[in-house]
Amino acid sequence: MEEAAAAVHRRWRRRLLPKLMLLLCAVVHGQQPDSLGFISIDCGIPDGGGYSDESTRGLRYVPDAGFLDAGAGLSAGINPPYTDRDLAARYLTVRYFPGAASAAGERGGCYTLRQLSPGGRYLVRATFYYGNYDGAIAMLPVVFDLHLGANRWTAVNVTAADAIYIFEAVVSPPADFLQVCLVNIGKGTPFISGLDLRPLKPELYPEATANQSLLLLNHDRPPARFAFNRYQFWRPASYYKLFRYPFDPYDRLWQPYGDDPSWTNITVAAAVDVTNISRSDDPSPILRSAATPANATVRRLDFPWSSDDAATTTYLLLLYFAELQRLPAGAARRFDVLVDGDASAGGGRRGYTPRYLAAEVVRSTVRAARPGQRHVVSLVAAPDSALPPIVNGLEIYSVQPMPELATNDRDGLPIC
Ligand SMILES: *[C@@H]1O[C@H](CO)[C@@H](O)[C@H](O)[C@H]1NC(C)=O
Ligand SMILES: *[C@@H]1O[C@H](CO)[C@@H](O)[C@H](O)[C@H]1NC(C)=O
Ligand SMILES: *[C@@H]1O[C@H](CO)[C@@H](O)[C@H](O)[C@H]1NC(C)=O
Ligand SMILES: *[C@@H]1O[C@H](CO)[C@@H](O)[C@H](O)[C@H]1NC(C)=O
Ligand SMILES: CC(=O)N[C@H]1CO[C@H](CO)[C@@H](O)[C@@H]1O
């Protein structure tokens, strides 16, 4: 009898208590994902300071306290003149993790995102805008690390007070939570402006698994405004700034590639069918503009990039295509998709023809043979092609082994 009661008790402790605690945590802090499954955190705003974000037509941003250990970090507003930049609200405050709270080498601030589906795929985005929040602008650069679970994600190297740093990753956490941590590496106080989590359709980004994540390449490529490498090809860039939700149902950020004089854009008003790339019926305005050479006698487009890190890595390229012009009968647009001049090694494609108003993604991988190596993806017209190549969208990720996504910084119950 007693044994049975003890067993029930043990089971309660082991199985039910954590669930109950989780529920309590979530209720206490009101940190359920919104109706889209999105978690949108504005770091450093006071408890109760949630709001509807204008730039995303009403996504609800919430305070960060509920995602942190009680009392972790301090909040601050950015200082003039850096407030005066027509910034989204989430850049106006930061959470920072000074002194003893984050001794060098320690995981200073850890955000715990809960109520995830184990094995599901998620986009995680962390944003940083220094804005002289601590009045110590002379101390720049500030460098700290960002971790996903126990894995290093990237270094955040803040060299300018008025620059916005944006990092995105696609992850597949094996547990129902994911931690994003800021790590002091002895080069200044870690801080953060915003943290977003977006559930993705399971068939998007199958390369992200329990053991490896996709890190959106961060490589400065002027004239693009931001370092992250997810591009749309609308122009002029000054007008078509950033596409995100509701234009992208998953709220990925698509920035203009930049107004390179060597290419022009072809646009259509008609919808592009995206069922083959996202199984979602939302026609995507992002893909309704394509780049093509400005000079019709030039029969190729080249997109160079190089490593953002000292480490060698494998890159995953996603090239989005949809034909936007009705071609005369018998005429075709046909081109090779080459990576570093090769169609075979990385899964490039020979003689590819985009479908009329229907989007497809061509994936390609390339392994960097040495750190900092330069690479180029080239679209080269086939000799019999009536028209030069086009491209409608481009993403570049590094594929990073991340075996410890589910690691919490403490064992046992989640702390809330
Ligand atoms: C940070 O960026 C600056 C400027 O690009 C560079 O000189 C410096 O080496 C970087 N620091 C680290 C730790 O990467
Ligand atoms: C992850 O790695 C573990 C151990 O190496 C392996 O058993 C498991 O099948 C891998 N999971 C995936 C999704 O690749
Ligand atoms: C187009 O390119 C061809 C060959 O590269 C060149 O001879 C020609 O001058 C260019 N035309 C213009 C308008 O730039
Ligand atoms: C989607 O792909 C399938 C298989 O390649 C093809 O038959 C179908 O026409 C495509 N649909 C669209 C809208 O592109
Ligand atoms: C350079 C160029 O042709 N830009 C065009 C890109 O598309 C927009 C929208 O259709 C046009 O307004 C631009 O003129």
Side-chain angles (χ1 to χ4, degrees):
M1 192 63 198
E2 242 169 56
E3 245 169 58
V8 166
H9 186 243
R10 271 201 306 277
R11 203 169 76 219
W12 150 257
R13 280 187 55 101
R14 205 175 62 239
R15 306 234 308 255
L16 297 175
L17 189 58
K19 288 210 172 76
L20 193 66
M21 288 286 294
L22 211 59
L23 196 68
L24 278 174
C25 291
V27 169
V28 165
H29 294 291
Q31 56 153 273
Q32 290 93 340
D34 67 14
S35 61
L36 297 160
F38 289 8
I39 297 175
S40 311
I41 305 172
D42 183 339
C43 304
I45 59 171
D47 250 341
Y51 58 88
S52 255
D53 178 58
E54 262 178 55
S55 69
T56 51
R57 310 233 178 121
L59 286 187
R60 182 145 189 92
Y61 271 80
V62 299
D64 59 346
F67 301 87
L68 287 162
D69 292 353
L74 298 169
S75 60
I78 60 165
N79 282 309
Y82 303 102
T83 43
D84 184 24
R85 303 277 149 120
D86 195 19
L87 291 165
R90 63 193 160 284
Y91 296 116
L92 301 178
T93 56
V94 299
R95 170 81 53 182
Y96 64 104
F97 301 91
S102 77
E106 270 180 30
R107 309 211 298 167
C110 279
Y111 286 83
T112 307
L113 306 169
R114 300 194 179 87
Q115 298 189 330
L116 312 189
S117 310
R121 283 203 184 80
Y122 293 88
L123 178 79
V124 181
R125 172 168 50 238
T127 61
F128 306 86
Y129 180 72
Y130 170 69
N132 199 21
Y133 75 87
D134 57 357
I137 192 169
M139 302 298 285
L140 291 185
V142 167
V143 191
F144 51 90
D145 280 354
L146 202 55
H147 282 206
L148 281 166
N151 312 275
R152 183 169 175 275
W153 172 357
T154 190
V156 181
N157 183 352
V158 178
T159 54
D162 62 350
I164 292 174
Y165 300 87
I166 298 175
F167 297 89
E168 287 193 6
V170 177
V171 298
S172 181
D176 62 358
F177 67 90
L178 176 70
Q179 281 203 318
V180 178
C181 300
L182 283 72
V183 180
N184 189 325
I185 56 168
K187 293 182 178 167
T189 302
F191 70 91
I192 183 167
S193 305
L195 184 61
D196 295 327
L197 178 100
R198 311 287 183 242
L200 299 167
K201 287 267 165 67
E203 53 272 18
L204 289 173
Y205 307 106
E207 297 85 354
T209 67
N211 296 333
Q212 69 180 28
S213 300
L214 303 181
L215 311 180
L216 191 61
L217 174 67
N218 230 71
H219 169 61
D220 254 319
R221 198 196 49 77
R225 170 157 184 223
F226 302 100
F228 67 82
N229 280 235
R230 188 187 295 109
Y231 299 113
Q232 38 94 352
F233 292 93
W234 285 88
R235 62 189 293 174
S238 56
Y239 184 75
Y240 297 95
K241 284 179 181 146
L242 263 188
F243 283 112
R244 57 176 295 193
Y245 185 84
F247 301 103
D248 181 319
Y250 309 102
D251 194 29
R252 291 166 293 187
L253 300 183
W254 299 81
Q255 68 163 328
Y257 190 77
D259 295 331
D260 185 327
S262 72
W263 63 269
T264 184
N265 63 346
I266 306 171
T267 64
V268 283
V272 170
D273 185 328
V274 294
T275 47
N276 271 357
I277 60 168
S278 72
R279 314 236 165 142
S280 129
D281 294 321
D282 301 299
S284 176
I286 294 151
L287 302 179
R288 281 184 9 229
S289 181
T292 198
N295 181 338
T297 66
V298 174
R299 310 247 315 154
R300 60 186 296 149
L301 287 168
D302 292 292
F303 302 97
W305 81 94
S306 67
S307 167
D308 53 346
D309 212 318
T312 56
T313 189
T314 297
Y315 290 102
L316 171 69
L317 296 139
L318 288 96
L319 294 124
Y320 295 79
F321 298 105
E323 180 58 76
L324 304 179
Q325 286 178 316
R326 224 182 241 299
L327 307 186
R333 189 194 302 276
R334 203 174 358 259
F335 51 90
D336 294 341
V337 180
L338 308 176
V339 182
D340 295 343
D342 193 350
S344 54
R349 195 78 80 84
R350 292 262 180 218
Y352 175 70
T353 294
R355 287 168 187 273
Y356 183 63
L357 295 185
E360 284 182 319
V361 55
V362 172
R363 309 173 110 77
S364 201
T365 56
V366 60
R367 170 124 189 110
R370 54 177 193 282
Q373 187 179 352
R374 288 185 62 74
H375 300 278
V376 60
V377 53
S378 309
L379 310 175
V380 181
D384 63 345
S385 179
L387 290 158
I390 57 167
V391 64
N392 310 54
L394 170 64
E395 295 181 274
I396 307 176
Y397 291 91
S398 69
V399 182
Q400 201 62 40
M402 284 204 176
E404 291 172 86
L405 268 186
T407 305
N408 209 327
D409 62 342
R410 288 167 202 83
D411 290 321
L413 297 177
I415 312 294
C416 59

